[in-house]
């Protein structure tokens, strides 16, 4: 049987998916929560939040992600970063997954990726879990009810956590699989309940499709000055570097917290919601995000809670440090109603430096911006990926290598051209360690980071006195109102200055070694910005 609102000419049977049990199309939040409760998928928490645990998979599985190697994508995919799967293996995977699904109940959400109607894609998401339907309904953009009558998907995602892949038969690495077939416009996800795989699959799609239209896809949050979309800022960064926290500025309008595009018309959000880390979350520091954790329909992933009061424990990371809340964008009071902004006036590249070497903020030339964008230096924070239990220094090109199907230079050149055309000012902001490396130093004070960002965004930082950093050549302010001057001089924060010098040399060499792979593909000005 089928339930819900759907294009009568676009049911699953029309896509060749037959033999299922009940199919629920486009259920709204109350119905999805009701279904999830009846199926014992989670617990109803305070305020109507839905509390779930995702089992063994509490983060993404990037090593289990595959792209089907066909002639149409052969010369476009960055194969060093994207594991290949043969068309024959994918066909076997699809056939076996559909056979596994027969007789089961499934939940379908017809949604949109992209707030700009000129550049969005229609996505059908088929989930085995009702709460996955709730999650992706928050994360993507919801069409108006009348638009569902003629909705036809550009791409389809099938997510079946109870299906286990066969590496020998399906050409994958393990029983867990995320397989993208650009020719068949189909994504298959199996053997993981971690809901973030759904949203990142759509991001990967857009990262492949949009560059051919001259649009820069960005792993970033974005906001703009209240009442002035022309004053837009974007915040690049991997998970855990502060994208969500720092873009949720009560004095600015939030465009989105994770994924955006930059077209000739300006900035636009890909998503309809936010996916915020909740570890150590406090109302005093982040009241808007904190309050979403007790709002109706918010999905609370992998948080410990009191079995009697259902109060959430924001400090207990026994399930994972990657505990999260997924909620619709309009749960943030100052969120943009259009999710559109102007061309970025300021570009912030967030890094979480576990070495304790980088200053809290630095101004970059356009060439340096491309250098640091391609480098993508940060630290993977605990829990974001399977097996990461403490910060690991890493280089994730474009601040999002796991989601980049094309070579890094494609995105780097797009960013360089757009900076040149629209005159954005670029900043590198370190939200990592100061006074020592991880284990010795402490995290950069959030109040200091906010003060530095405010000065950058309101233009006052441009009037500061700057010095040239001896390690990386970028400009660092000597002093900023509201920020302890010692923080702006990282070496001074270390008790053992010789240890700082050793860490600096080590990090500089890591940058140089990593960047060598891009030298054949970049212009001379960017080469000149590279560490030698």
């Amino acid at each position: 049987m089928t339930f819900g609102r759907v294009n009568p000419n676009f049911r699953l049977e029309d896509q060749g998916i037959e033999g299922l049990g009940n199919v629920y199309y486009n259920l709204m939040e109350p119905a999805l929560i009701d279904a999830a409760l009846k199926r014992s998928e989670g617990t109803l928490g305070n305020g109507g939040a839905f509390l779930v645990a995702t089992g063994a998979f509490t983060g993404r599985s990037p090593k289990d992600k595959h792209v089907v190697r066909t002639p149409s994508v052969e010369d476009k995919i960055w194969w060093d970063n994207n594991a290949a799967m043969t068309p024959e293996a994918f066909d076997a995977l699809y056939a076996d997954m559909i056979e596994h699904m027969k007789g089961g109940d499934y939940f379908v959400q017809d949604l949109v990726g992209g707030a700009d109607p000129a550049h969005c894609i229609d996505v059908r998401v088929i989930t085995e879990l009702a709460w996955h339907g709730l999650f992706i309904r928050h994360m993507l953009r919801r069409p108006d009810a009348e638009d569902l009558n003629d909705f036809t998907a550009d791409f389809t995602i099938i997510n079946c956590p109870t299906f286990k892949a066969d590496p020998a038969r399906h050409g994958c690495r393990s029983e867990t699989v995320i397989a993208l077939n650009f020719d068949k416009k189909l994504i298959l996800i199996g053997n993981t309940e971690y809901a973030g795989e759904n949203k990142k699959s759509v991001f990967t799609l857009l990262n492949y499709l949009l560059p051919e239209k001259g649009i820069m896809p960005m792993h970033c949050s974005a906001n703009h000055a209240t009442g002035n979309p022309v004053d837009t800022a974007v915040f690049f960064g991997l998970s855990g570097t502060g994208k969500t926290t720092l873009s949720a500025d009560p004095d600015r309008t939030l465009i989105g917290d994770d994924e955006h595009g930059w077209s000739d018309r300006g900035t636009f959000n890909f998503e309809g919601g936010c996916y915020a880390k909740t570890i150590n979350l406090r109302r005093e520091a982040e009241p808007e995000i904190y309050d979403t954790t007790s709002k109706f329909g918010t999905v609370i992933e992998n948080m410990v809670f009191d079995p009697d009061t259902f109060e959430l424990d924001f400090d207990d990371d026994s399930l994972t440090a990657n505990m999260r809340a997924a909620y619709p964008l309009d749960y943030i009071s100052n969120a943009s109603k259009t999710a559109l902004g102007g061309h970025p006036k300021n570009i912030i590249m967030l890094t979480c430096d576990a070495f304790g070497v980088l200053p809290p903020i630095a101004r970059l030339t356009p060439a340096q911006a491309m250098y640091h964008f391609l480098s993508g230096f940060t630290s993977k924070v605990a829990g974001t990926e399977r097996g990461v239990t403490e910060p690991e220094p890493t280089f994730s090109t474009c601040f999002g290598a796991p989601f980049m199907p094309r070579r890094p230079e494609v995105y780097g050149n797009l960013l360089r051209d757009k900076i040149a055309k629209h005159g954005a000012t670029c900043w590198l902001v370190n939200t990592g360690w100061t006074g020592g490396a991880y284990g010795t130093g402490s995290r950069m004070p959030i109040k200091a980071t906010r003060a530095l960002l405010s000065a950058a965004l309101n233009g006052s930082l441009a009037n500061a006195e700057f010095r040239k950093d001896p390690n990386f050549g970028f400009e660092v302010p000597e002093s900023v109102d509201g920020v302890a001057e010692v923080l702006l001089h990282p070496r001074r924060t270390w008790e053992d200055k010789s240890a700082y010098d050793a860490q600096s040399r080590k990090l500089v060499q890591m940058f140089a070694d990593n960047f060598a792979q891009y030298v054949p593909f970049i212009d001379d000005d960017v080469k000149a910005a590279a560490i030698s």
Side-chain angles (χ1 to χ4, degrees):
M1 296 182 65
T2 61
F3 305 87
R5 192 159 192 167
V6 65
N7 179 348
N9 299 313
F10 193 61
R11 297 182 183 275
L12 292 188
E13 294 89 337
D14 301 307
Q15 295 180 263
I17 302 174
E18 299 178 325
L20 304 185
N22 295 321
V23 178
Y24 301 89
Y25 291 91
N26 297 306
L27 297 186
M28 297 182 72
E29 290 80 357
L32 286 167
I33 290 174
D34 183 56
L37 288 170
K38 288 177 178 176
R39 292 158 54 92
S40 300
E41 293 179 4
T43 302
L44 194 64
N46 291 326
F50 194 69
L51 316 180
V52 298
T54 61
F57 293 81
T58 58
R60 292 178 290 101
S61 300
K63 293 180 181 179
D64 293 309
K65 189 173 181 179
H66 301 263
V67 174
V68 178
R69 195 166 197 154
T70 61
S72 69
V73 304
E74 174 68 37
D75 297 329
K76 300 175 183 178
I77 299 297
W78 180 23
W79 293 112
D80 290 342
N81 187 60
N82 293 269
M85 177 180 285
T86 67
E88 295 76 18
F90 181 87
D91 290 345
L93 175 66
Y94 177 73
D96 291 348
M97 185 175 285
I98 296 302
E99 184 64 28
H100 174 87
M101 293 166 62
K102 286 183 178 179
D105 293 349
Y106 282 82
F107 299 84
V108 179
Q109 288 287 319
D110 293 328
L111 301 163
V112 177
D116 187 338
H119 305 302
C120 64
I121 60 171
D122 292 336
V123 181
R124 166 164 282 184
V125 186
I126 304 165
T127 61
E128 183 178 23
L129 296 172
W131 79 263
H132 272 199
L134 176 66
F135 171 91
I136 202 63
R137 186 172 171 81
H138 291 335
M139 288 296 100
L140 294 184
R141 304 187 65 79
R142 298 167 291 283
D144 293 334
E146 57 270 21
D147 292 335
L148 294 173
N149 296 327
D150 56 6
F151 182 97
T152 302
D154 298 310
F155 282 83
T156 297
I157 299 171
I158 302 176
N159 190 322
C160 188
T162 61
F163 176 81
K164 295 183 184 296
D166 179 346
R169 175 171 166 77
H170 301 136
C172 49
R173 189 185 73 97
S174 73
E175 292 180 335
T176 301
V177 65
I178 303 98
L180 293 81
N181 191 321
F182 289 109
D183 284 7
K184 295 195 172 182
K185 299 184 175 182
L186 187 60
I187 299 174
L188 306 178
I189 303 173
N191 194 45
T192 171
E193 291 186 34
Y194 182 65
E197 299 288 11
N198 295 294
K199 93 181 205 88
K200 289 306 185 186
S201 292
V202 177
F203 186 37
T204 304
L205 282 178
L206 291 167
N207 281 333
Y208 177 77
L209 297 171
L210 293 181
E212 290 189 345
K213 301 171 70 174
I215 297 168
M216 174 68 186
M218 303 179 290
H219 188 209
C220 71
S221 57
N223 63 26
H224 66 71
T226 302
N228 184 15
V230 172
D231 185 1
T232 291
V234 300
F235 302 76
F236 285 101
L238 287 181
S239 178
T241 55
K243 293 195 311 300
T244 300
T245 296
L246 295 172
S247 59
D249 184 336
D251 296 325
R252 294 175 65 87
T253 297
L254 178 68
I255 301 171
D257 86 323
D258 195 41
E259 301 168 4
H260 293 79
W262 184 358
S263 73
D264 288 340
R265 293 152 51 126
T267 307
F268 63 99
N269 192 356
F270 289 166
E271 300 182 296
C274 301
Y275 193 32
K277 288 177 73 74
T278 56
I279 187 169
N280 301 322
L281 185 64
R282 295 291 185 270
R283 176 177 275 122
E284 308 81 64
E286 300 173 73
E288 292 258 37
I289 298 174
Y290 186 94
D291 287 345
T292 67
T293 62
S294 58
K295 289 189 175 182
F296 180 79
T298 293
V299 175
I300 302 294
E301 274 187 348
N302 297 314
M303 287 190 71
V304 174
F305 59 90
D306 187 290
D308 298 317
T309 67
F310 299 101
E311 290 294 321
L312 300 172
D313 189 331
F314 294 89
D315 301 317
D316 189 337
D317 62 355
S318 57
L319 294 178
T320 177
N322 194 37
M323 56 181 77
R324 289 182 179 263
Y327 49 89
L329 195 61
D330 60 15
Y331 277 9
I332 303 297
S333 62
N334 64 330
S336 168
K337 298 212 173 7
T338 64
L340 302 173
H343 297 291
K345 183 178 178 181
N346 286 281
I347 294 173
I348 316 296
M349 296 184 184
L350 299 169
T351 181
C352 176
D353 174 22
F355 284 89
V357 168
L358 294 176
I361 195 165
R363 185 167 60 188
L364 307 176
T365 66
Q368 288 170 338
M370 186 172 177
Y371 173 79
H372 283 279
F373 181 71
L374 289 175
S375 297
F377 171 71
T378 191
S379 300
K380 294 179 183 177
V381 296
T384 302
E385 292 181 6
R386 294 183 67 212
V388 179
T389 58
E390 61 182 42
E392 294 180 1
T394 187
F395 291 87
S396 184
T397 188
C398 308
F399 295 101
F403 325 118
M404 302 296 162
R406 297 177 182 268
R407 278 203 57 86
E409 307 84 50
V410 172
Y411 308 103
N413 288 333
L414 274 170
L415 182 66
R416 178 201 60 198
D417 294 346
K418 290 188 177 296
I419 289 172
K421 183 175 182 179
H422 301 289
T425 301
C426 301
W427 307 90
L428 183 70
V429 172
N430 174 25
T431 62
W433 274 258
T434 184
Y438 170 77
T440 302
S442 57
R443 284 300 291 265
M444 197 70 67
I446 184 66
K447 288 185 178 180
T449 302
R450 287 192 183 279
L452 290 166
L453 281 175
S454 293
L457 298 183
N458 67 28
S460 64
L461 188 55
N463 300 320
E465 179 184 351
F466 286 82
R467 71 179 187 279
K468 185 175 180 180
D469 182 85
N471 296 313
F472 294 92
F474 43 51
E475 295 183 317
V476 182
E478 289 284 5
S479 63
V480 178
D481 288 345
V483 178
E485 190 171 323
V486 67
L487 289 175
L488 297 167
H489 298 78
R491 190 173 186 270
R492 295 184 193 173
T493 67
W494 285 54
E495 289 187 14
D496 185 342
K497 303 300 189 287
S498 62
Y500 173 85
D501 294 338
Q503 282 284 75
S504 297
R505 290 191 295 270
K506 181 178 180 180
L507 185 58
V508 165
Q509 190 59 52
M510 287 177 65
F511 265 86
D513 293 344
N514 172 74
F515 201 75
Q517 63 185 303
Y518 306 121
V519 170
F521 306 100
I522 59 174
D523 295 338
D524 290 341
D525 61 337
V526 181
K527 291 178 185 177
I531 308 300
S532 58

